Amino acid sequence: MEYINNELCLGPLKKPLAPLCANYMRPIYVYDLDFVTQRFQAMAKALKGVRLFYAMKANPNAEVLQRLKTLGSGADVVSLGEIKRALESGFSVQDIVYSGVGKTVHEINEALRLGIYQINVESLPELERIGKLALEAGKKAQVALRLNPDVDIKTHPYIATGLKDNKFGMELSLIPDLKKCLKNYSASIELVGISLHLGSQMLEFTGYQEALQKLKPVFKDLQKEFATLKRFDFGGGLGIFYDRLDLELEESLLQEYAKITLDTLSDLDCELQSEPGRWLLGHCGVLITQVQYIKKTSAKTFVIVDAGMNHLIRPSLYEADHMILPLGKSLENMKADIVGPICESSDFFAKDRSLGSVKEGDFVAVMDSGAYGYSMASVYNLQELPLEICI
């Protein structure tokens, strides 16, 4: 972001945000598709030869999906709803990897009927269910086993997924049972991949490298028994900075992440897959909201805006620290809590934040909201969902 002629601008092409508020009705998510393009191409270049499946849960906006499809991305989905959105946005079934821990009978049957490229299996009961349903349907499911290496990547506990006390993936001790199940259902299941995902917002890679090194011999051993095993999905989770915009440092972290990945896995005889989300979309979106009141108490000042935790829950849920900037540059500063209209004390975007001086009717942008913003929004208090605009 950058101020040009005192107007806040977004993205590499420095697009002004203020004109988007000309007919303002309610909070607006704004996504810069050129910025999305730039981020995807940077990751594709760093992870050369890796097939990228965009994690749709980060942002399922149809125009975003269409842009990513044109750039060569696949789609990583976690529900039948996301499968349908991906197909409506131009992806084919051969572009879709289906993850998620709670796949229902109906969802699995639909995935089998459609012929989804790969189903990432999260538990032994799920593998058995897929085998049974595929057998009944006369199909052969292409599956990858999501293995849990019990490695900590030092992220927020709510977005860590690679520890043995997380609900995700399967412990390595379960492999003999998984092999038995695969052989029992050899007529309806084909093991094509191993999947790994340690969590989100990775900014340090010691644990990640350890996990790759743990799973590499497991992959080789399984490949000896299952000749169809040909894909290694190393997940996503590469983090971004929310407290500042430092694209150069993020680029260097991407290069480090790519080097560790490719150096560790390059001698495997397989296709490499990844499921990026936040890194591609986080910086590419903002949430624009209007100041309704400046409320002063004996303890502090509150800037009350018309967006809240119902529109962007990350600060309340993850203690996420988004930058918040006025759309018009101010030479003065004020310290305040920026809060929303929802009837919860947890309804805040920032506390004791230095903010450019704003008044009632002004607009502010909650930065870096392109991932896990609208996709996690709700109508709590029967508030309307925000608008979405792609530029």
Side-chain angles (χ1 to χ4, degrees), residues 2-9 16-18 326-331:
E2 183 178 337
Y3 284 100
I4 298 176
N5 297 324
N6 294 325
E7 285 192 8
L8 185 64
C9 298
L17 294 173
L327 262 56
K329 190 173 183 179
S330 171
L331 297 177

Side-chain angles (χ1 to χ4, degrees), residues 143-300:
V143 304
L145 302 178
R146 180 172 177 177
L147 298 177
N148 187 331
D150 192 27
V151 169
D152 189 359
I153 59 166
K154 309 298 181 188
T155 189
H156 192 284
Y158 289 2
I159 49 177
T161 60
L163 293 165
K164 63 184 177 183
D165 58 354
N166 297 135
K167 68 178 180 179
F168 301 94
M170 296 172 282
E171 294 181 82
L172 301 184
S173 60
L174 199 62
I175 286 177
D177 293 327
L178 293 169
K179 286 181 181 179
K180 184 178 178 182
C181 183
L182 287 165
K183 288 173 182 175
N184 285 344
Y185 286 104
S186 60
S188 57
I189 296 177
E190 190 169 275
L191 177 64
V192 297
I194 293 299
S195 171
L196 161 74
H197 186 63
L198 297 179
S200 194
Q201 195 52 9
M202 268 195 300
L203 293 168
E204 194 275 333
F205 308 119
T206 305
Y208 173 66
Q209 187 169 22
E210 179 189 344
L212 293 181
Q213 290 167 344
K214 258 189 174 184
L215 288 188
K216 187 175 177 180
V218 174
F219 181 92
K220 288 181 175 179
D221 287 344
L222 282 169
Q223 208 171 35
K224 290 172 186 173
E225 292 189 56
F226 300 92
T228 54
L229 181 57
K230 55 193 175 186
R231 304 171 194 156
F232 192 111
D233 183 340
F234 56 87
L238 182 60
I240 63 173
F241 297 110
Y242 283 96
D243 59 346
R244 62 195 186 276
L245 190 65
D246 191 337
L247 298 182
E248 285 188 16
L249 181 53
E250 286 184 6
E251 173 70 24
S252 70
L253 288 173
L254 169 63
Q255 296 300 329
E256 182 184 353
Y257 171 74
K259 186 175 191 306
I260 288 169
T261 304
L262 299 177
D263 284 355
T264 307
L265 302 178
S266 60
D267 62 331
L268 288 180
D269 180 23
C270 69
E271 173 191 326
L272 298 180
Q273 301 174 338
S274 182
E275 302 159 12
R278 183 192 314 273
W279 200 91
L280 299 180
L281 263 294
H283 291 315
C284 304
V286 300
L287 174 60
I288 296 176
T289 179
Q290 187 178 46
V291 177
Q292 300 301 309
Y293 303 100
I294 308 294
K295 178 179 178 178
K296 297 185 178 181
T297 72
S298 59
K300 58 174 60 182

